[in-house]
Structures are given as C-alpha cells and as structure tokens.
Amino acid sequence: MEHLLALITKPDNVPILAIVFLLPYFTWLSFSQGRKNDRAGTPAEAALKDKVYVWPYLCRNEFICAIIILLILAVWSITIDAPLEEPSDPTKTPNPSKAPWYFLALQEMLVYFDPWIAGVVLPGLIIVGLIAIPYVDINPKGKGYYTLKERPFAIATFCFGFIILWITLMVVGTFLRGPGWNFFAPWKYWDPHKVVPLTNVNLSYKFGIRDVLTANVFGFVVVAGYFALGPIFYLWKKRSSEFLQELGLVRYIVVSFLFLTMLSLPIKMILRWVWNIKYIWVSPWFNI
Amino acid sequence: MNEKRNGLKEKIVNSQIWRSMFRHGYENTGRRYTLQILQNVWLHLHPPRVPRHGINFRFTWCMGGITFLMFLVTAVTGVLLMFYYRPTAEYAFRDVQYLEFDIPFGMLLRNMHRWAAHGMVIAVMLHMFRVFLTGSYKKPREFNWGVGVILLVVTLFLSFTGYLLPWDQLAFWAVTVGTNMARATPVLGHEGPFHPQDITQENDVRFALLGGTIVGPSTLLRFYILHCVAVPLLASVLMALHFWRVRKDGGISGPL
Ligand code: HEM
C-alpha cells in the first residue's frame, strides 16, 4: 500500500491521476447530455437559437476560465516540484525503464506485438485512422450536439479506442507495470527479482503444427482470414443493406480494416492471458 | 469627488493618445460590442457574435482554449528557462540544478513549465474527445479535424522533446525507451522488417533522430533545437490555421 501511495504521488504521475478523475467526469457529462437530448427529441443546443455578443459574454467566460486554470497551475507548481533525478548515466539502466506517461499505451502494446507493429505501424495507423474519421463517417446526424442514440457505432468505437485502449493502458502501464515490465497488483511490492516463467508458444504450435513451412502458411491463412472478415461481411450483406450501399466499397474497406486492426489488440491480449499465445504468424521476415 | 473623478476619466478617455489606441467608445450598445472585437487584433479571432450554446461550459468544456492557454504559458516560461539552460552534456544537468537552487523563483519557473506542458497534453486529449462526441468533425469541418490530429501529434512531440532536456536519469531513459522503437521501422530501421542490407545502425531513421547510435550529446542538441525552435514554430503555424478554419467553417458547431 505504501508503495502504491509512493507511486501515485510521484510528481510525474500526477497528470495521470488528474485524467483518472477528469475523463470519467467528462464522459458522464457528455453522456448525460446525450441522453437528455435523445429523450427530448430536439437537442437542447437547438432551443437556444439566438446569438450573443462575444464581448462581453464569451470574453468574460474565457477570462474567468483562464484565471481559474492559471490558479490551479500556480497551486500545482507551488506544491509539487518537477522531478530531477541523478545525472544521466548510459551504463545504469533503471528497471523498469518507462517512456513518458502519454506513450505508455504504446509501450504496453509492445508486450503483445513486435516493435515494428506496436511502435511504428499501429501509431501510424492511429494517426491516419483519426484523420480518416470525418471522411468515412457518412452519418449526417449528431452534428454539433451531444447524442448517443443517433450514432451508436461511432461513439462506441471511439470510446472503446480512447477510454479503454489508450487511457486505461496508460494507467496500467504507469501503476501496474513494475521491473521487467512485469504485471504487479496494486498492493504488491515491486520485486525486481520476480521471475515469470516464459511459457508462451505460437498459435500454430497449439494446433500441433511442428513443421516450419506449414506453420508459416497456417499463420498467413489465419491473419489473412481475419482481415478477410470485413470483405466477406460486405459481400454477404451488400444486397440487403442500404447503409452499406451508401457507404461504398472504399469507405467500407477503410473502416473495416481500421476496426479489425484496433480489435486485434484486445484479441491478442486475451490470447496471451488465456492460452499463452505469442505469435499468430511467424514468417521469415516478421512475426505477428 | 465622484464628479471630479468622472471628469478626469472623460478627459483621459477622450484624449488624443487614448483615442489613437482605442477607437471605440464605451457606450453599452451592440455596435460598440462589435467594434470591441473587430478593432482588437487579439480578439478579432472571434466573430462578433456566437450562438448561445457556444459560450456554455457544458458544450465545449473550454478545452480548446485551455490547450491554447497552456501553450502560451509554456512559451513564456520556456523563453525564461532558456536564459539559464545550455544544451550540452557538460552543462545541461547542472544548469537545471543551478536553476532550482540558486535562481530566485527558478524552481517555480521550472514547475510551471513542466506542469503546463503536461496540462496541455491532458487538455488536447479531452478537446479531441469533446469534438468527437459533439460530432463537430462532420462536414464542413473535416479538414480542421485533420489539422487537429496533426496538432495532437505535434503537442506530444513537443512534450517528448522537452522531456530529455533536464538530462537526468528519468529524461535519458524515457527518451531511450521512446526512441528505441524507431529501430524497428519497416524498411528504414536497422532491425525492421524488409530493411535493405545498407541500412545499419549508423544510417537508419533512429540515427537521424538521435544523431548517434545511442542517446548522447548530439541528441540533446537536436532535441533542444526541435523543442525550442522547430516544433513550436510548426505548432504556431498550425494553430493559426486551426483557429482560422474554426471561423471559416462557420464558427462553433451546432445543430442547424
Ligand atoms: C494544440 C492543439 C489544439 C488547440 C490549441 C485547439 C484549439 C481549438 C479551439 C480554441 C477551438 C474552438 C472551440 C473549442 O474551444 O472547443 C477548437 C475547435 C476545434 N478543434 Fe481544436 N485545438 C487543438 C487540437 C485539436 C485536435 C487534436 C482536434 C481533433 C483531432 C481538434 C479539432 C477541432 C475541431 C474539429 C474544432 C471545431 C469544433 C466545433 O466547431 O465545435 N483540435 N480548437
């Protein structure tokens, strides 16, 4: 417990603590407004048709907001000192070595994927995927007001990615990952000598495949099959779904690829926790 | 007494000097409120009037504005820090120590810079969350959402490059861990899949970022220049674009 307290009150972890409170608050705030708007039928924002003068009404709010924020920042800066450890020494590696807190979700992904995926491909896809959102979301509803009912898929997907995958993994990486990047329950002492047996095997091995070439082909089929789920669903539903026809093939492929890629992280996590699976596909050039 | 004071005020407000700076009067009319915004170089980023829900904390959470405020705080405190800091392996750590112990309010200055930077990262994430939840990226704001995503990346990079500068164990190893992944860049990293034979530890992307095969003095200089000059400039340009587009896309989003 003492150890957890020490961890939480580490100066650089204070921002995470702030997020742990701020994010649920804002999620609640927006969801409750969304529900209210959904129930009323017309959003509350639409009822306020008139405009107000920026001076003084908006400028006053901005001014008050700035003062409050600067006050919080001043108190924060007076009470908590920025950390300064020993001078840097390339020969003394601390254990655990952690990236800054806002990159810890990426560092956490390194447990489940090789660095080229976790550190390069997935971050790249996150950026590209975010930029693509407005071009693939063709739902005209829910523009400029809070709602849940009118865009359930968009909101659920984004909240899953942002709250569960990005923020939660960040918190886990900060508070529950100790020496050797091993998992430690909050009340556990961070024992640098903890030994975790490495019993992970590849998926093909679980299926009894021992031959390298067969394993290679097997892995390819599984990964290709997984990403083919998108197009298969499209062909199956295209006729009957007006929505898919309106969305179009290109948009659909982008959405399904990004969606399946995002889901691959929790899938690999579960495979690892439950069956100790390391790689799905081992090829001569890379492993997935 | 009161009359005298009012008389004095009139005199000042009507003087040639005052009128040359502030062209509008002070009567409580819509015309004056509009001029107050239009004739002020800082405030004219705003439209004269906004929809009523746009000034509501529950709608915008003020998060875009808070992100910008945090950026301004880091800019001001950062310039002050630059007076005391030399980006070389010999001096960097000692300069920070000296700042903390011997410079009046040096510690406070450093704290404000660091916590405002962290605050900016928190605020920009929440800003993105709010923009998503209100569906504000939809037509005609698609492009500005894209500008925002780049700003998010730039904000993280700004924070990351600054993380190295104290040159202590925390800084050194966080940046070592953070840049290690660049080794594995496909094609361009010396441990990445599909890298050609000629790509080695000494000419891959990680080398370009660090100026060496490990985090060292040239990394410190590179990150310093990125942190203090290149990235803030880029961020400023993108913010100007972002704010301009908020206006040009029809102001704050709302139901039609
Ligand atoms: C340095 C970072 C950023 C700054 C300083 C900034 C600032 C602002 C400000 C002041 C506004 C006005 C409304 C408000 O305060 O909510 C705004 C609106 C907007 N921002 Fe940002 N922003 C940043 C990053 C982002 C990011 C990361 C995104 C999305 C990925 C984004 C997307 C948008 C969009 C689409 C609008 C229009 C919203 C509407 O009309 O309701 N911005 N931004």
Side-chain angles (χ1 to χ4, degrees), chain A residues 130 144, chain B residues 59-69 71 120 124-125 127-128 130-131 134 136-137 141 144-153 155 235 239 242-243 246 251-254:
Chain A
L130 282 174
Chain B
F59 187 76
T60 64
W61 311 347
C62 296
M63 276 304 160
I66 292 175
T67 313
F68 186 52
L69 177 68
F71 179 74
M120 184 172 168
V124 75
M125 287 181 187
H127 173 57
M128 179 178 75
R130 149 358 235 172
V131 171
T134 53
S136 303
Y137 56 83
R141 297 185 177 80
N144 210 17
W145 167 269
V147 175
V149 175
I150 305 295
L151 269 172
L152 172 74
V153 177
T155 305
M239 279 185 210
H242 192 62
F243 298 158
V246 173
I252 191 88
S253 62

